[in-house]
Amino acid sequence: MTNFEYFNPTNYVFGKGQIVKLSSLLPENKTILLAYGGGSIFKNGIYEQVKKQLAGKTVIEFGGIEPNPRFETLMKAVAIIRENEIGFVLAVGGGSVIDGVKFISGAVNFEGDPIEILRKRILFIDSSKTIPFGTILTIPATGSEMNSGAVVTIEATQEKLTLGGKALFPQFSICDPTVIQSLPKRQLQNGVVDAFTHVMEQYLTYSHDALLQDRIAESILQTLVEIGPEVVENPSDYKLASNFMWCATMALNGLIQKGVPTDWATHMIGHELTALYEIDHARTLAIIAPNLYKAVFETKKDKLAQYGKRVWNLSGTDEEVALAAIEKTSAFLKLMGMPLKLSEATENYENTAEIVVERFENRGWKALGERQQITIAKVKEIVEMSY
């Protein structure tokens, strides 16, 4: 195993009806910014529950944070916080709202142009320079409720870029699995696939000595394969809903990546497809991942074989199992309602590979993957395979 430090200060509050604990988790005598998205919380009753717990506190509301939150929108919230001396932010929503609040938290006291947070991938280490925040999760998917990373889109340039740092962990996250009952089928499908791919990015690399990490990752994958199709059809089933929400959190709360190599090239390429064509994040991952596995098959073959045997119960030679594992993955993604080709998600895709390659070159991203084996030429190949 490689050396590591594991730090996760988020108070994770899980289960039915846990929103009643919100008032006790919030700081005293601070003006609160209540941040949310497009209004679904008004339809599912979450807003009323939250407002009840905020009674007696000074609250300013900020709605309209988009899926794939926009830098331009978030800067409006930054201005509100500065003008009103707000001391705490409460994010009520899914990964996009929570990611947006992480950017807001870092941008309020940032010295310089906040767009540089994204362009230079600034790490926020000193919590005294950020605004504290908590979350109420309404869509399981990204794990943002228990990690310190975020992804934000710059609308003006159609770029989707990351930020993070240990000062951007939520102080608390309230996670009630019953919230998924009101979610559209598409969001549930996306959530399962998002969590599944998060695990794959940290697991499907090469053989190493972190045996427990592999077993934890495989158990999350197995659970998602087992419950994924069912939870989409039966979101009111608490057994399915609770396991789904916990899997999504565990997939990206930092635990399974410790002591192991990680990839993330699927995400880096997928972000460009979302930025260019507004394709749902999970769907871009489904489009790219199987083709990436094929394009770098030789470097991932051993781990693909392990994955095929342990997660899919396949048998045969390592090469046979590895190839079959990719096909099993594609079949699962399709079962979850995902497109497997870019042409299924957008009509104007012909020059995508050239655009992505140019962007990566301009940013200096010339070698991705766990062995830095995914070169610019390989990125072009992967995207073209995905047409």
Side-chain angles (χ1 to χ4, degrees), residues 68-210:
N68 306 302
R70 302 308 199 262
F71 164 80
E72 292 83 354
T73 300
L74 302 176
M75 286 305 298
K76 296 176 184 177
V78 170
I80 291 171
I81 292 174
R82 289 171 175 169
E83 291 167 6
N84 295 277
E85 298 184 354
I86 290 169
F88 191 86
V89 184
L90 179 63
V92 183
S96 291
V97 172
I98 299 171
D99 278 12
V101 165
K102 289 176 183 176
F103 175 84
I104 293 166
S105 172
V108 170
N109 297 319
F110 183 73
E111 297 178 1
D113 186 347
I115 205 166
E116 296 301 311
I117 294 171
L118 302 172
R119 297 207 183 283
K120 295 183 178 179
R121 301 174 81 176
I122 299 294
L123 289 177
F124 290 88
I125 307 300
D126 185 353
S127 59
S128 69
K129 295 183 179 180
T130 60
I131 300 296
F133 65 96
T135 88
I136 297 176
L137 182 67
T138 62
I139 305 173
T142 69
S144 194
E145 67 277 3
M146 201 179 181
N147 66 41
S148 61
V151 187
V152 170
T153 297
I154 304 172
E155 188 167 21
T157 55
Q158 291 185 300
E159 294 178 279
K160 189 173 178 181
L161 302 171
T162 60
L163 68 147
K166 67 179 184 179
L168 295 181
F169 279 100
Q171 288 194 346
F172 65 82
S173 286
I174 297 175
C175 303
D176 181 345
T178 63
V179 300
I180 78 165
Q181 294 177 22
S182 61
L183 293 179
K185 184 174 182 178
R186 185 184 182 100
Q187 286 187 328
L188 293 168
Q189 292 172 326
N190 286 349
V192 171
V193 171
D194 203 359
F196 188 91
T197 314
H198 284 158
V199 178
M200 294 288 274
E201 294 274 47
Q202 300 163 90
Y203 166 76
L204 195 64
T205 55
Y206 54 80
S207 297
H208 51 70
D209 295 329

Side-chain angles (χ1 to χ4, degrees), residues 245-306:
M245 183 170 275
W246 185 225
C247 277
T249 298
M250 283 293 293
L252 202 59
N253 67 359
L255 177 61
I256 63 172
Q257 74 177 25
K258 299 305 177 184
V260 304
T262 58
D263 188 344
W264 298 111
T266 296
H267 271 70
M268 303 309 284
I269 299 171
H271 287 334
E272 301 304 322
L273 304 186
T274 297
L276 289 168
Y277 308 119
E278 293 288 337
I279 304 170
D280 299 0
H281 173 60
R283 283 164 158 70
T284 70
L285 303 179
I287 290 166
I288 295 298
N291 294 307
L292 185 145
Y293 305 152
K294 293 172 185 175
V296 292
F297 181 78
E298 289 304 319
T299 62
K300 290 185 181 287
K301 182 168 64 175
D302 291 346
K303 204 58 178 288
L304 277 165
Q306 177 181 312

Side-chain angles (χ1 to χ4, degrees), residues 284-334:
T284 70
L285 303 179
I287 290 166
I288 295 298
N291 294 307
L292 185 145
Y293 305 152
K294 293 172 185 175
V296 292
F297 181 78
E298 289 304 319
T299 62
K300 290 185 181 287
K301 182 168 64 175
D302 291 346
K303 204 58 178 288
L304 277 165
Q306 177 181 312
Y307 160 68
K309 292 171 184 176
R310 293 186 181 181
V311 175
W312 296 107
N313 299 312
L314 300 172
S315 59
T317 67
D318 281 357
E319 178 133 354
E320 290 169 343
V321 171
L323 290 168
I326 297 174
E327 295 310 311
K328 280 284 190 180
T329 304
S330 294
F332 174 66
L333 295 172
K334 188 172 183 180

Side-chain angles (χ1 to χ4, degrees), residues 345-361:
T346 184
E347 294 180 358
N348 303 311
Y349 60 87
E350 290 85 357
N351 298 319
T352 304
E354 288 77 11
I355 296 171
V356 173
V357 163
E358 182 180 3
R359 290 182 169 199
F360 281 22
E361 286 178 334

